[in-house]
Amino acid sequence: MKVIVVKNASELGKQAFDLLAKAVDEGAKTLGLATGSSPVELYQEMVASQLDFSQMTSVNLDEYVGLSPENPQSYHYFMNQHLFQYKPFKRSYLPDGQAKDIQAECSRYNQILADNPVDLQVLGIRQNGHIAFNEPGTPFDSVTHEVALTESTIKANARFFDSIDEVPKSAICMGIANIMAAKEIILLAKGESKAKAIKAMVEGPVTTDVPASVLQKHPNVTVIADQAAASLLK
């Protein structure tokens, strides 16, 4: 696990873009993408670049159950706003949060991932050490599944909604085994609130109590953290 510490979010985006551009230059066909605040600066760099993604595939980590793609809080909407409207891919896959049969949708998404092996996966991390919506306790061999969001995650997401009652209570999410199948992983972290999670992920034991700690077992992971997020590392 390689750790790069940067001064600020802008530098984080540039460092992440350099790795992504290198992967594309070396023939990457499928990018695994994330939502939330962590990858925003990376997407800004992608939009501003000369890179052409029109012959590539993207697969996203997760989507809220119950939200339509047109809902401003859906991850479909987020990806379109921050990236896809400016840099379209040949194919872009996200879980269908409105699927009538959630288990069938999870199976469909697992097949999409099998058909489109991820060359480079972008991740963020939450304060409790979860990756995507894989909360503490998620088995390392998990594949795409419906996740009941924890109270802390619902509270963390409430700032994006008019009230906490509007926050979805579950999501469809790639499993940890799906994430670990990527050839290369970049994990992005900003802010002091992520410092404990970064320390536990990088320096702590590999445990389902800190889902991100499993990345210690991956052969090609780069953690890019600003100084605040990396402040507890030895």
Side-chain angles (χ1 to χ4, degrees):
M1 185 180 284
K2 181 180 180 182
V3 179
I4 299 172
V5 180
V6 297
K7 291 180 181 178
N8 52 43
S10 175
E11 187 63 29
L12 180 144
K14 288 180 171 62
Q15 290 274 358
F17 176 76
D18 287 347
L19 290 176
L20 184 142
K22 181 173 181 284
V24 171
D25 186 56
E26 292 175 351
K29 299 287 187 243
T30 301
L31 301 181
L33 302 178
T35 51
S37 60
S38 298
V40 167
E41 289 79 15
L42 167 59
Y43 296 156
Q44 289 170 350
E45 293 289 330
M46 291 169 70
V47 168
S49 78
Q50 298 301 309
L51 284 184
D52 178 12
F53 302 102
S54 64
Q55 297 305 308
M56 297 183 66
T57 298
S58 70
V59 290
N60 262 76
L61 289 166
D62 40 30
E63 177 59 284
Y64 287 119
V65 169
L67 297 192
S68 73
E70 294 76 32
N71 188 305
Q73 301 307 330
S74 75
Y75 290 159
H76 280 79
Y77 190 94
F78 177 99
M79 292 306 304
N80 190 57
Q81 288 294 107
H82 288 279
L83 184 62
F84 294 154
Q85 66 172 317
Y86 308 107
K87 290 285 191 178
F89 285 68
K90 185 175 183 179
R91 290 179 295 268
S92 289
Y93 295 108
L94 291 92
D96 179 4
Q98 292 189 300
K100 289 184 170 62
D101 185 335
I102 297 297
Q103 187 52 54
E105 175 60 13
C106 292
S107 297
R108 182 188 77 92
Y109 210 68
N110 280 324
Q111 188 59 53
I112 287 170
L113 295 171
D115 293 341
N116 299 276
V118 174
D119 295 296
L120 176 69
Q121 176 68 57
V122 178
L123 294 177
I125 188 171
R126 284 280 170 88
Q127 287 91 332
N128 65 359
H130 84 199
I131 44 177
F133 277 123
N134 292 296
E135 302 282 9
T138 303
F140 289 154
D141 62 355
S142 60
V143 292
T144 306
H145 56 293
E146 183 178 9
V147 180
L149 305 185
T150 64
E151 185 177 349
S152 65
T153 296
I154 291 170
K155 285 181 177 176
N157 290 343
R159 68 187 186 278
F160 301 120
F161 293 83
D162 291 335
S163 78
I164 196 167
D165 295 330
E166 294 182 14
V167 183
K169 304 302 186 286
S170 68
I172 298 171
C173 173
M174 272 194 214
I176 293 175
N178 299 123
I179 292 169
M180 291 290 284
K183 296 187 181 104
E184 180 179 0
I185 294 173
I186 304 172
L187 185 138
L188 309 174
K190 299 179 290 190
E192 188 179 356
S193 66
K194 305 292 178 72
K196 288 183 179 178
I198 290 295
K199 181 175 176 61
M201 176 186 72
V202 176
E203 298 178 349
V206 176
T207 170
T208 56
D209 292 340
V210 182
S213 65
V214 74
L215 297 178
Q216 293 179 33
K217 293 183 173 292
H218 193 280
N220 191 4
V221 175
T222 304
V223 178
I224 307 176
D226 67 12
Q227 290 174 338
S231 60
L232 297 180
L233 293 175
K234 291 178 181 174

